[in-house]
Amino acid sequence: MENCSLCRCGSETVRASSTLLFTLSYPDDKTGKNYDFAQVLKRSICLDQNTQWGPARAEEEHGVCVYDLMATVVHILDSRTGGSLVAHIKVGETYHQRKEGVTHQQWYLFNDFLIEPIDKHEAVQFDMNWKVPAILYYVKRNLNSRYNLNIKNPIEASVLLAEASLARKQRKTHTTFIPLMLNEMPQIGDLVGLDAEFVTLNEEEAELRSDGTKSTIKPSQMSVARITCVRGQGPNEGIPFIDDYISTQEQVVDYLTQYSGIKPGDLDAKISSKHLTTLKSTYLKLRFLIDIGVKFVGHGLQKDFRVINLMVWQGSFKSLLVPKDQVLDTVYLFHMPRKRMISLRFLAWYFLDLKIQGETHDSIEDARTALQLYRKYLELSKNGTEPESFHKVLKGLYEKGRKMDWKVPEPEGQTSPKNAAVFSSVLAL
């Protein structure tokens, strides 16, 4: 062989390398099959490499180790913008139910917010003029069945205990939650009321087509700004144990105060009076609650989890997802097929005689209300021995909603058509 070295000055040095010696290993094949020299040489070289690695040879001595291509990342060249990265990813065979007649092999193209199925050959079609391969990702076949992929270092319960705020001006009088004590640590099946608020980092970019329809060029980018978890049982039921405002270095273009309750300065560590923390810290708390097996109660949780970057999943693979049986969403509990979704404000007025979300939204109030609605759902569904009884309740709800135009009456003298007791701990708080 010849080794060529190119110096910074531009000169090239060529020298002959040492001779590479391999012991030829002939196949011990009693079938009488003939092997050409190239096959014998390949077997000999591979044998020598396995010998160097030791354990790898012992692991695979009874078979061939096969790796499957699972993803490719390519650099799309563009002289004006510098280009962008595009991913082709092969999802699991059970990722979704394949429609009849679909022939693609579970490969998907991920191009910014565009996701579409592609043929498997497209994932490995490269062109150095505009589509340059950057990453080829292989996974050992049958890896999941041969190795224990359980998390070795689970998140500890200490993440839920008291922590210091990043805000410099926060005082104890501004604290809106009481951290869990060691004897209050959640167990599998415990209820936790959850609500999240968001702000907008980038506005949506869209254009109107000639036919009057709107085409989205770039969707709006949302960021989680506040996450609240309240106790779902026990003597302190309804009292929050997490109320984190998420510090962000990104520029916020719209705080959505009317819908989120977040005001300018709430996320700034220099001037905020809130309990300010990092996104990673709050993620660890949610991840611990998911892993421990609590059941989250909220209104519109699927959307909240999606923006938080946790996907609701039907299955048992918990390392990145939220199992569906751990999500109790009141927006679906009080919903009739092919009918509109009902707001938390209207449900609270109709079933609980509560008027919430007056001027702005408050995540503590929303999380408590969702818990109370879930209790009401259990009460209504258990009282009726037949499904038709609860169906009548929903039918009355939708009839009232249409008459009221789904608006809660503003005058103080007008009350809800339903009465329901509120949590004593909420009243005490």
Side-chain angles (χ1 to χ4, degrees), residues 245-264:
Y245 286 75
I246 311 301
S247 176
T248 177
Q249 303 299 323
E250 300 283 344
Q251 182 178 1
V252 179
V253 299
D254 192 349
Y255 285 90
L256 304 172
T257 304
Q258 181 180 354
Y259 307 103
S260 68
I262 307 296
K263 300 177 181 178

Side-chain angles (χ1 to χ4, degrees), residues 298-305 329-332:
H299 194 79
L301 282 182
Q302 193 160 1
K303 179 182 177 181
D304 288 351
F305 280 130
D329 199 333
T330 53
V331 78
Y332 295 110

Side-chain angles (χ1 to χ4, degrees), residues 39 83 125 131 198 268 270 289 291 327 374 399 418 424:
Q39 292 175 312
Q125 289 177 346
K131 187 179 180 183
F198 308 96
D268 188 342
K270 296 179 182 179
L289 294 174
D291 292 342
V327 177
Y374 178 65
E399 289 177 354
K418 302 292 179 183
S424 59

Side-chain angles (χ1 to χ4, degrees), residues 44-215:
S44 303
I45 294 175
C46 292
L47 177 64
D48 187 76
Q49 290 175 340
N50 282 338
T51 303
Q52 292 177 14
W53 290 100
R57 167 71 191 281
E59 178 183 345
E60 305 295 345
E61 62 180 354
H62 297 297
V64 177
C65 184
V66 179
Y67 288 78
D68 293 314
L69 182 66
M70 300 302 293
T72 62
V73 178
V74 297
H75 183 199
I76 306 299
L77 302 181
D78 189 334
S79 58
R80 298 172 301 171
T81 64
S84 60
L85 294 178
V86 172
H88 311 92
I89 301 177
K90 182 182 180 182
V91 300
E93 293 297 329
T94 59
Y95 182 74
H96 60 74
Q97 294 293 331
R98 302 178 65 185
K99 296 181 180 179
E100 186 177 356
V102 175
T103 58
H104 62 79
Q105 300 296 317
Q106 302 293 85
W107 280 89
Y108 283 84
L109 167 69
F110 289 79
N111 183 5
D112 199 1
F113 65 95
L114 172 66
I115 302 175
E116 63 180 10
I118 59 173
D119 185 79
K120 63 179 180 181
H121 299 292
E122 185 176 336
V124 290
Q125 289 177 346
F126 308 119
D127 189 329
M128 300 305 292
N129 293 321
W130 67 278
K131 187 179 180 183
V132 181
I135 298 174
L136 303 179
Y137 181 66
Y138 288 84
V139 174
K140 184 183 290 187
R141 186 174 295 177
N142 301 325
L143 178 68
N144 295 356
S145 61
R146 298 181 59 182
Y147 297 95
N148 181 11
L149 300 183
N150 292 332
I151 299 174
K152 297 296 183 181
N153 298 311
I155 301 171
E156 297 180 354
S158 59
V159 298
L160 295 181
L161 302 180
E163 65 174 355
S165 172
L166 299 177
R168 299 176 183 177
K169 294 188 177 182
Q170 190 200 19
R171 300 291 184 267
K172 289 186 178 180
T173 54
H174 294 144
T175 302
T176 56
F177 66 101
I178 302 176
L180 291 175
M181 305 296 289
L182 288 176
N183 59 355
E184 289 185 296
M185 283 301 161
Q187 305 296 324
I188 183 172
D190 283 355
L191 298 180
V192 171
L194 174 67
D195 190 68
E197 306 294 350
F198 308 96
V199 294
T200 302
L201 301 182
N202 292 311
E203 296 286 0
E204 179 185 79
E205 296 180 13
E207 63 180 4
L208 287 176
R209 298 191 181 98
S210 58
D211 59 357
T213 59
K214 185 177 74 170
S215 173

Side-chain angles (χ1 to χ4, degrees), residues 9-59:
C9 65
S11 61
E12 185 178 18
T13 303
V14 180
R15 64 180 179 84
S17 67
S18 302
T19 304
L20 299 179
L21 298 178
F22 290 96
T23 302
L24 293 181
S25 175
Y26 291 91
D28 184 13
D29 195 341
K30 297 180 181 180
T31 61
K33 181 179 178 181
N34 293 326
Y35 294 87
D36 58 27
F37 178 75
Q39 292 175 312
V40 174
L41 182 60
K42 180 180 179 180
R43 176 184 174 88
S44 303
I45 294 175
C46 292
L47 177 64
D48 187 76
Q49 290 175 340
N50 282 338
T51 303
Q52 292 177 14
W53 290 100
R57 167 71 191 281
E59 178 183 345

Side-chain angles (χ1 to χ4, degrees), residues 341-358:
M341 299 294 184
I342 304 177
S343 68
L344 180 65
R345 187 167 189 254
F346 192 86
L347 290 174
W349 171 79
Y350 185 83
F351 286 111
L352 306 176
D353 196 14
L354 293 177
K355 289 188 177 181
I356 64 173
Q357 301 173 352

